Amino acid sequence: SLKPYGNAQNTSDITLNKRTKSIYTPLELQFIEMKKQYKDAVLCVECGYKYRFFGEDAEIAAKELNIYCHQDHNFMTASIPTHRLFVHVRRLVAKGYKVGVIKQMETAALKAAGENKSTLFNRKLTALYTKSTLIGEDILFKEIWFHTWLDEPVDVEEATTDVPDNYLLCICENGENFKDRRKGDIVMGIMAIQPTTGEVIFDSFQDSASRLELESRVLRLQPVEIILPPSLSDQSEKLINSITSM
């Protein structure tokens, strides 16, 4: 796996892969810049009539999607057809990956007619999907439209199988009272959101060092994703780690 973007500090100054001594292509430089912004996501980059993966993302896609991965210039690369994007996005999300979709912001026809026809396509992140934020409606309708346009049969059951129907949970703590915090007692707040239905559940409560109240709420909600504050008490962190490891 080639990881040139891992050492890149400023892509405007770096056009040479120090390891291979090969010049980066404009598309590779664009990918390096985007990957620096979304390091924890598998990026699908629109390139004409297909979406491409680069570097480690390509190796992940090859493994999880059972597609071909090969060396191209400075990166490993893999690709999928445009009309199959959302099938593969769902499969990657179901495996626990965060997936970013990067689209071309210009059409080929308009670009060919413009003054910048010889320059690189302008691209930007248009969607970021995780287990709790992969909402079925937009994914399903886009896919049905693509298949209908291609005059292909649509398996609605397949299109909705991997769509999650669970909560995104946010947890916060009030650590103002140092004495209580040292004992382990703390005031906690939670908010759970069901993106597919718009349902919102929120609560605040006093919890002991055993975190029984927090545990009961997390187990009852069974969230597929949890958002935590930058700092968390040791007792809460231990409980969350225990629950998520199961």
Side-chain angles (χ1 to χ4, degrees):
S1 170
L2 299 181
K3 310 173 189 175
Y5 55 81
N7 298 321
Q9 299 299 315
N10 187 338
T11 57
S12 63
D13 299 329
I14 297 177
T15 58
L16 188 70
N17 184 329
K18 293 179 180 179
R19 199 180 79 82
T20 64
K21 306 301 181 184
S22 175
I23 296 174
Y24 287 116
T25 67
L27 178 59
E28 288 175 339
L29 287 173
Q30 191 180 56
F31 169 74
I32 290 170
E33 194 61 36
M34 291 184 293
K35 191 64 179 179
K36 283 165 65 177
Q37 298 177 56
Y38 309 103
K39 295 176 183 177
D40 59 342
V42 174
L43 299 181
C44 312
V45 183
E46 185 179 16
C47 299
Y49 293 105
K50 60 186 176 181
Y51 279 88
R52 293 181 64 184
F53 303 89
F54 296 93
E56 286 185 348
D57 295 350
E59 295 186 51
I60 290 171
K63 175 187 173 185
E64 304 294 357
L65 305 176
N66 195 27
I67 59 177
Y68 178 64
C69 180
H70 66 282
Q71 183 74 37
D72 183 27
H73 296 288
N74 293 288
F75 289 98
M76 298 297 288
T77 187
S79 64
I80 55 174
T82 299
H83 70 278
R84 296 289 288 174
L85 171 67
F86 298 109
V87 171
H88 295 305
V89 166
R90 278 198 310 279
R91 288 173 181 166
L92 288 171
V93 168
K95 295 282 187 176
Y97 296 99
K98 181 186 290 186
V99 181
V101 176
I102 293 174
K103 291 195 173 184
Q104 295 176 175
M105 305 314 293
E106 307 164 279
T107 64
L110 288 175
K111 192 169 181 64
E115 296 179 357
N116 63 339
K117 58 183 176 182
S118 60
T119 62
L120 188 67
F121 276 94
N122 179 32
R123 294 179 174 89
K124 74 173 186 179
L125 185 88
T126 59
L128 193 61
Y129 297 109
T130 61
K131 276 194 173 183
S132 65
T133 58
L134 185 66
I135 300 175
E137 234 174 71
D138 59 334
I139 299 292
L140 176 61
F141 290 157
K142 286 177 184 176
E143 186 166 323
I144 289 175
W145 184 87
F146 271 120
H147 282 280
T148 304
W149 179 66
L150 292 170
D151 198 24
E152 293 179 352
V154 183
D155 187 342
V156 175
E157 186 175 344
E158 179 197 1
T160 56
T161 296
D162 298 329
V163 175
D165 193 30
N166 286 311
Y167 290 100
L168 168 64
L169 176 66
C170 179
I171 297 173
C172 63
E173 297 180 330
N174 183 350
E176 293 178 1
N177 190 325
F178 183 71
K179 185 185 290 186
D180 287 344
R181 192 177 180 88
R182 286 193 65 182
K183 288 195 307 179
D185 295 346
I186 204 165
V187 176
M188 305 204 71
I190 64 168
M191 176 171 284
I193 299 172
Q194 173 69 274
T196 53
T197 63
E199 181 184 4
V200 177
I201 297 173
F202 56 92
D203 192 12
S204 63
F205 49 90
Q206 184 86 26
D207 210 348
S208 63
S210 62
R211 296 294 187 267
L212 289 175
E213 292 293 328
L214 177 61
E215 181 179 19
S216 67
R217 285 160 174 78
V218 174
L219 292 177
R220 186 164 66 247
L221 289 168
Q222 291 289 309
V224 293
E225 198 169 356
I226 301 176
I227 299 176
L228 301 173
S231 61
L232 201 64
S233 63
D234 293 340
Q235 295 89 342
S236 298
E237 188 170 349
K238 184 177 179 181
L239 173 67
I240 295 298
N241 286 336
S242 174
I243 292 174
T244 54
S245 66
M246 293 187 295

